[in-house]
Amino acid sequence: MDEITEMLQDQAQQQIPMRHMELITVARSVDEERLHRQQRLAAAFRLFSKCGFDEGVAGHITARDPGDPTLFWVNPFGMHFSQIRVSDLICTDHTGTVVSGDEPVNRAAYAIHSQVHAARPDVVAAAHAHSLYGKTLSSLAMLVEPLTQDSCAFYGDHVRFDDFSGVVLDTEEGKKIAHALGGKKAAILRNHGLLTVGHTVDEAAWWFITMERSAQSQLIAYAAGTPIPIDEENAALTASQVGSHAAGWFNFQPLYERITREQPDLLD
Ligand SMILES: [Zn+2]
């Protein structure tokens, strides 16, 4: 089933307004789709900065090129998320060579994301940052638990990668992460942070934002007392309601509208 069909089937459940549905169903040329992904990507970086997911030069979000699936667009190494514009994005190939743009790529971005994109042809975008609560949760032997309606988006749909061995600089390590991720939407990289993927940039970015908040909520709950998890049946039901590709995409739309209105230069 293609993405649009899936989205349309999910429309009734998500009650996605028509002004957003038009964005999904419009036919775009390869060039138009590339620009669309770049705009979503630049907006995602601005939002990550707003959410405090920037830690020095760490973190990367990638978007697969619509014309060549072996290429992906990514942030230039060392540029603050809050300053990234569409024209700043660089494109790298499967060997880590920058094929568009003058700035270098973060080697860790290439090592992890190239392998995730290679292992998951369905994945258009992947997001990773050293956000505070995600990296804290990663140091504990925990998954994101179904403690709240929102956290059920990850119920049965994320993994832990427990093989920390320093900064990920080679593709063999990236391959292991991609293998652990399997067909799921997210991974908790032990002693490191969160990684999310999606069929759209919108979805990957939203899963990261809400996974970080779920991690925060879980840590607060355990610090305050003994949380009561949602039972398995209802966690699975809720996951089907809040964890779909369409739900992930839709949740990003108001954030995109907010950030492009506040910071229109991101589209330059
Ligand atoms: Zn990292």
Side-chain angles (χ1 to χ4, degrees), residues 8 30 40 60 93 105 107 114 126 165-166 184 188 202 219 237:
L8 287 171
V30 169
R40 302 330 251 199
H60 9 88
D93 69 10
V105 63
R107 217 167 126 200
S114 69
S165 57
K184 301 208 158 47
I188 299 171
D202 314 54
L219 291 167
L237 170 67

Side-chain angles (χ1 to χ4, degrees), residues 58-60 106 108-109 112 128-130 167-168 189 192-194:
H60 9 88
N106 180 342
I112 298 173
H128 166 68
H130 297 181
V167 178
V168 181
L189 313 179
H192 186 176
L194 308 178

Side-chain angles (χ1 to χ4, degrees), residues 161-231:
F161 177 72
D162 284 324
D163 188 18
F164 183 78
S165 57
V167 178
V168 181
L169 293 177
D170 70 67
T171 51
E172 280 312 305
E173 193 65 10
K175 224 173 244 168
K176 285 189 210 165
I177 292 171
H179 180 74
L181 177 66
K184 301 208 158 47
K185 67 158 67 91
I188 299 171
L189 313 179
R190 199 187 74 194
N191 308 114
H192 186 176
L194 308 178
L195 173 75
T196 59
V197 300
H199 288 183
T200 53
V201 173
D202 314 54
E203 190 195 342
W206 171 253
W207 293 142
F208 194 95
I209 291 166
T210 193
M211 193 178 193
E212 166 70 7
R213 288 173 70 91
S214 290
Q216 181 177 7
S217 165
Q218 182 168 323
L219 291 167
I220 292 169
Y222 273 102
T226 308
I228 303 162
I230 296 168
D231 64 81

Side-chain angles (χ1 to χ4, degrees), residues 74-147:
V74 63
N75 47 312
F77 194 27
M79 182 176 287
H80 199 272
F81 288 177
S82 66
Q83 295 173 351
I84 294 174
R85 301 164 299 177
V86 164
S87 55
D88 293 315
L89 297 169
I90 60 171
C91 186
T92 181
D93 69 10
H94 64 287
T95 67
T97 304
V98 175
V99 297
S100 178
D102 299 324
E103 300 286 330
V105 63
N106 180 342
R107 217 167 126 200
Y110 156 68
I112 298 173
H113 292 244
S114 69
Q115 299 311 307
V116 170
H117 282 288
R120 289 281 299 274
D122 64 308
V123 159
V124 164
H128 166 68
H130 297 181
S131 54
L132 183 60
Y133 298 98
K135 68 179 171 184
T136 306
L137 189 75
S138 83
S139 70
L140 303 164
M142 281 180 164
L143 284 164
V144 171
E145 297 174 5
L147 302 183

